[in-house]
Amino acid sequence: MRFRKLETGDIDAMAVVAQSLDNQWVPPDLLHEMIDKRLEFSDVRERLRAAVRGEYIRSLINSTQVVINRSFFYNNPVLFEDFLPGATNRAGFIELLDQGAIVQMLLAERTPVEPPAFLVDQHAPHYTFMQQGWDAWEATAEEAEVHSLRLSWNDDGLNGDLIRQRLAAEFTRKAQTLVNLYGPTLAGDLGVDIDTAHAIKRRLADVAARCVQLSVEDKVATRETMYKEFLTADRSEPILGRFDRSRPFTAYVKQLIDLTHSANMAVALETLALTPADALHRATLQEWRSVGRGPQEVSAEQIGELLRGLAFEVVSEDLYLDTFAKLSLRDVVDVRASRQWADYVRLMKGMLEDPLGRFADPRRGAPAVIAAYVDLLAETTRIAAGRERPDKPLPMARSFALVASVDVAGALLEFTTGPHGVHVVVAGAVASTAASEVANVTVRVGLRALERRRRVARFGKALDTRTQILTGRTGDRAARFWQDLVAQFEAHMSEETMAEVRRRQKTDATVEGGDEAVDY
């Protein structure tokens, strides 16, 4: 068979690791329901499929490459249903493989079709459907030029060391440090009160203790180990989704472990982590806690100037999709071949190369990127509407606003500019543990649909385009930087917002959320 060998340096700047393609991922609301009602994956398969499908298509349209763990090709039905013999999407899937839009991540394997371990045990959970997925993958890989990623192709010993260091040992370290998450910020991210957040941290202390014990024995913590010891009923296999409601804070611990696992893979591959729109964002891991000297120093005045320079107004009468979930892979191939997709990618890559220099540039920066993405949505709708299908996507008119957010050690400022002018809100507070230290400053840019938002909630999720475009570091203490940043936007804040800002500056406040606050 023919396949292309890739290493991390070959991955595109806009490549992503999509958390939703993990066969353990479940949307938070569905996860809580599964635990409360003692449901398993087999009980919610169709509902889960719809959520995963939408995120899968979104990742293929919003990024240039999607890197997928090789086991997901045969243990996740949402993936392998596309390349089963006779499947409608099979030709489109093969074309995306040939283009390198879909990249297979290998560990110790040296070919895309090296037999997986489950084949030797026919009593393994879900053996039958995994066998079906594997057989379909073998046949597909023979027809396509699979792009396979490995940490090292030339040296198996080095490859093994990198897997252990970058993946296994690093996951153990990160799982161990979840207990260090700052309680008020964690409370805001999880949507719980501060007492509950501290109780969750006490459970995370148990996770940390187990990781320490494994490290002492020169072993590593795997996600499967963490699931069996802290989440699943009777230490059952994670693939069954049999979660134990009697264990403390199962839903929250699972979400944090899954996010750690997904983000760790992205870091190891030197690419981006694409978290689902309704799941915990990567910022929940509070990676601002350990800032190094690498990111460039930025000032509050620079950030203020960048955001105030944004000008964005799109009041569109065009029709846009309510969800990506109904698109076929043939649609995806056609969208990626369009001029609109090429323009969006070109502008996004240019801004990623020089975020400080281009951010507010109306022709090359964030306004241009978002305008190009709106054009891409219109073209996507035109392509989808041009095909007959039983579950045809529902088009609807929308107006949009550009949203930029600045995250400083747990405090978040959101700047919105659109048809209704400029609006600024804040959420959270600088963590007391980081207030007197230099901290990371993260700027993200996104697109928000403004009309009929409550009526069609899935629209905002399907078209969530939040993208991290700048990571710098404060030149001053994080608390001082945050005060200076807020001062840049006082004119755009309500009196109530400013009163709350002043109150939080005096106290170590609990992070609060609301209808206007961004859920990061």
Side-chain angles (χ1 to χ4, degrees):
M1 65 170 297
R2 59 192 175 96
F3 67 97
R4 184 169 298 184
K5 297 179 179 180
L6 304 178
E7 295 187 2
T8 52
D10 301 315
I11 296 299
D12 194 84
M14 284 179 63
V16 300
V17 172
Q19 185 186 10
S20 63
L21 298 182
D22 186 331
N23 72 328
Q24 298 298 325
W25 179 76
V26 186
D29 290 347
L30 183 56
L31 175 61
H32 282 280
E33 182 180 342
M34 288 176 64
I35 294 170
D36 291 341
K37 297 181 178 179
R38 294 186 172 90
L39 303 177
E40 301 180 10
F41 283 142
S42 58
D43 299 315
V44 299
R45 190 73 66 191
E46 284 306 310
R47 292 166 62 188
L48 182 58
R49 179 195 177 281
V52 174
R53 188 75 189 177
E55 290 294 329
Y56 177 32
I57 300 301
R58 179 169 78 100
S59 67
L60 288 168
I61 289 177
N62 286 10
S63 66
T64 52
Q65 287 181 313
V66 182
V67 181
I68 304 174
N69 188 313
R70 92 149 191 161
S71 64
F72 300 159
F73 285 93
Y74 58 82
N75 68 20
N76 190 338
V78 177
L79 274 175
F80 70 67
E81 70 181 19
D82 283 334
F83 52 84
L84 290 171
T88 303
N89 281 318
R90 193 168 189 275
F93 183 84
I94 289 175
E95 190 163 350
L96 291 169
L97 282 176
D98 286 337
Q99 295 174 356
I102 294 175
V103 176
Q104 178 198 47
M105 173 63 191
L106 302 180
L107 294 177
E109 303 84 11
R110 295 199 63 85
T111 76
V113 293
E114 189 168 321
F118 86 88
L119 290 174
V120 303
D121 181 10
Q122 296 191 13
H123 299 290
H126 296 319
Y127 177 90
T128 301
F129 90 72
M130 289 198 298
Q131 176 72 64
Q132 181 186 29
W134 178 254
D135 290 345
W137 170 249
E138 275 194 306
T140 302
E142 290 293 336
E143 296 183 37
E145 183 178 26
V146 181
H147 289 62
S148 293
L149 175 65
R150 199 170 188 257
L151 296 183
S152 175
W153 288 98
N154 297 326
D155 187 330
D156 286 348
L158 174 60
N159 186 68
D161 288 343
L162 291 173
I163 290 171
R164 181 177 179 84
Q165 295 165 12
R166 294 189 187 180
L167 296 176
E170 188 63 14
F171 173 73
T172 304
R173 186 190 69 80
K174 289 178 178 176
Q176 179 180 328
T177 58
L178 285 174
V179 68
N180 297 330
L181 296 178
Y182 182 59
T185 302
L186 182 64
D189 288 332
L190 297 180
V192 299
D193 58 47
I194 187 62
D195 291 336
T196 301
H198 285 153
I200 293 170
K201 288 185 62 175
R202 285 192 287 273
R203 182 56 169 166
L204 293 172
D206 297 334
V207 174
R210 180 59 177 138
C211 291
V212 169
Q213 180 182 359
L214 289 168
S215 296
V216 168
E217 298 170 359
D218 291 325
K219 298 178 181 177
V220 294
T222 66
R223 189 171 56 159
E224 287 69 24
T225 299
M226 296 295 100
Y227 268 48
K228 289 181 179 180
E229 297 195 19
F230 297 99
L231 303 176
T232 59
D234 303 320
R235 296 177 66 90
S236 58
E237 293 296 328
I239 196 172
L240 298 174
R242 192 176 293 159
F243 302 111
D244 191 344
R245 63 182 294 181
S246 69
R247 296 190 177 192
F249 305 110
T250 297
Y252 299 115
V253 174
K254 172 177 162 47
Q255 291 177 70
L256 289 167
I257 288 176
D258 287 349
L259 179 60
T260 300
H261 185 269
S262 176
N264 187 53
M265 176 70 78
V267 170
L269 301 182
E270 301 174 13
T271 187
L272 305 174
L274 182 67
T275 54
D278 54 354
L280 293 179
H281 193 273
R282 181 174 170 178
T284 304
L285 298 179
Q286 300 180 16
E287 293 164 310
W288 40 262
R289 293 181 62 90
S290 55
V291 64
R293 299 296 296 176
Q296 66 186 114
E297 182 179 309
V298 296
S299 67
E301 290 74 18
Q302 281 180 301
I303 298 296
E305 183 178 351
L306 288 177
L307 268 58
R308 286 193 301 272
L310 295 179
F312 185 75
E313 182 173 349
V314 175
V315 182
S316 177
E317 296 181 357
D318 290 330
L319 297 180
Y320 301 98
L321 304 180
D322 64 328
T323 176
F324 285 134
K326 298 175 184 176
L327 297 184
S328 70
L329 292 190
R330 182 71 258 167
D331 296 330
V332 172
V333 170
D334 290 347
V335 167
R336 291 172 63 95
S338 69
R339 172 191 59 79
Q340 290 82 354
W341 188 82
D343 287 346
Y344 163 69
V345 169
R346 173 179 54 80
L347 287 164
M348 177 63 82
K349 285 186 175 181
M351 188 172 67
L352 289 173
E353 290 175 359
D354 182 20
L356 280 175
R358 294 192 182 188
F359 185 81
D361 188 326
R363 294 180 301 171
R364 301 185 302 165
V369 169
I370 296 298
Y373 189 74
V374 172
D375 289 342
L376 175 60
L377 294 181
E379 178 64 9
T380 301
T381 305
R382 186 194 67 77
I383 289 171
R387 290 195 171 96
E388 292 299 326
R389 70 193 81 196
D391 59 346
K392 201 167 190 175
L394 175 66
M396 54 193 66
R398 284 291 181 268
S399 60
F400 300 95
L402 184 151
V403 181
S405 65
V406 187
D407 189 337
V408 184
L412 184 78
L413 182 146
E414 180 185 280
F415 179 95
T416 304
T417 174
H420 306 303
V422 173
H423 184 52
V424 177
V425 296
V426 295
V430 171
S432 60
T433 52
S436 62
E437 304 291 335
V438 172
N440 277 339
V441 180
T442 302
V443 179
R444 296 179 177 87
V445 64
L447 181 67
R448 174 171 294 165
L450 297 177
E451 299 172 0
R452 287 186 284 173
R453 201 170 154 205
R454 294 185 178 181
R455 181 181 167 195
V456 189
R458 285 189 304 168
F459 181 80
K461 295 177 181 179
L463 302 182
D464 184 331
T465 62
R466 288 178 302 193
T467 302
Q468 181 173 317
I469 56 92
L470 172 63
T471 297
R473 57 182 171 84
T474 62
D476 200 347
R477 297 177 297 114
R480 170 59 63 186
F481 182 96
W482 174 249
Q483 291 176 11
D484 292 345
L485 180 68
V486 170
Q488 299 281 320
F489 297 100
E490 289 184 3
H492 300 293
M493 296 182 189
S494 66
E495 292 183 5
E496 292 79 8
T497 298
M498 283 306 305
E500 180 64 15
V501 168
R502 286 189 287 269
R503 183 185 72 79
R504 289 175 179 174
Q505 289 174 348
K506 295 179 181 179
T507 62
D508 187 13
T510 299
V511 174
E512 297 177 353
D515 290 340
E516 294 179 324
V518 179
D519 178 13
Y520 274 65

